[in-house]
Amino acid sequence: MSKTTTNNQPFLTDVQELRKRARTSLEKGPITPDYLGNVKQTIDILQAVLATEIVCVLRYTMNAIAATGISSEGVKAEFDQHAKEEQGHMRQVAERINQLGGSPNFNPEGLATRSASQYVEGANLIEMIKENLVAERIACEHYRELIRYFADKDPTTRVMMEGILTNEEEHANDMHDLLVAHEGKPMLKTHA
Ligand SMILES: [Fe+2]
Ligand SMILES: [Fe+2]
């Protein structure tokens, strides 16, 4: 006897039924009838995430080249590392848009408007670090919200965003630590 839920629906879809359904709507690729999200809305959301990631790649790359001053070498290396990781995020998000049947928007026109984080260059090393911290904090809050939104509507996109969020939190922490090191004072309140 198969397990049933309280409303008498089978707990798992019958294998024969799964096989039959998989053969219909092949043009939808991985989007099967049990996809609970709104594909168009998911693509729109991911286009904004893509723009945010592209802006992050540009900002960190610019910073890695332009950073000057005493002990800037370590900071440049950190900016470079982040630029590479942001590029990884950009690629992941673009691939997901493609999987969902969308076309990733890399158009430079309107990029800054589509992005959640801003492109602020920062006049000196401290300003650069600060602006990166601000951008990472925007990404963290935005992505956390998206993870809650995707929930089980689209687990693949949610898991991808969870991975990216983990990385953005590391970035924010790195920028925070650099700020402390270069300003010479603690910024975070310590919690007992
Ligand atoms: Fe990122
Ligand atoms: Fe980041």
Side-chain angles (χ1 to χ4, degrees), residues 163-181:
I164 295 176
L165 173 65
T166 304
N167 206 202
E168 308 300 10
E169 289 191 18
E170 285 166 9
H171 289 173
N173 194 50
D174 290 343
M175 289 302 116
H176 169 266
D177 290 353
L178 281 178
L179 204 53
V180 172

Side-chain angles (χ1 to χ4, degrees), residues 45 48-49 52 116 137-147:
I45 290 170
V49 174
T52 300
R137 285 172 54 81
I138 292 171
C140 286
E141 185 164 359
H142 186 38
Y143 295 174
R144 248 180 241 122
E145 235 171 44
L146 293 183
I147 289 161

Side-chain angles (χ1 to χ4, degrees), residues 52-53 56 85-86 89-90 136 139 143 164 167-168 171:
T52 300
E53 295 297 339
C56 289
E85 287 168 356
E86 304 297 5
H89 301 162
M90 177 191 85
E136 295 295 353
Y143 295 174
I164 295 176
N167 206 202
E168 308 300 10
H171 289 173

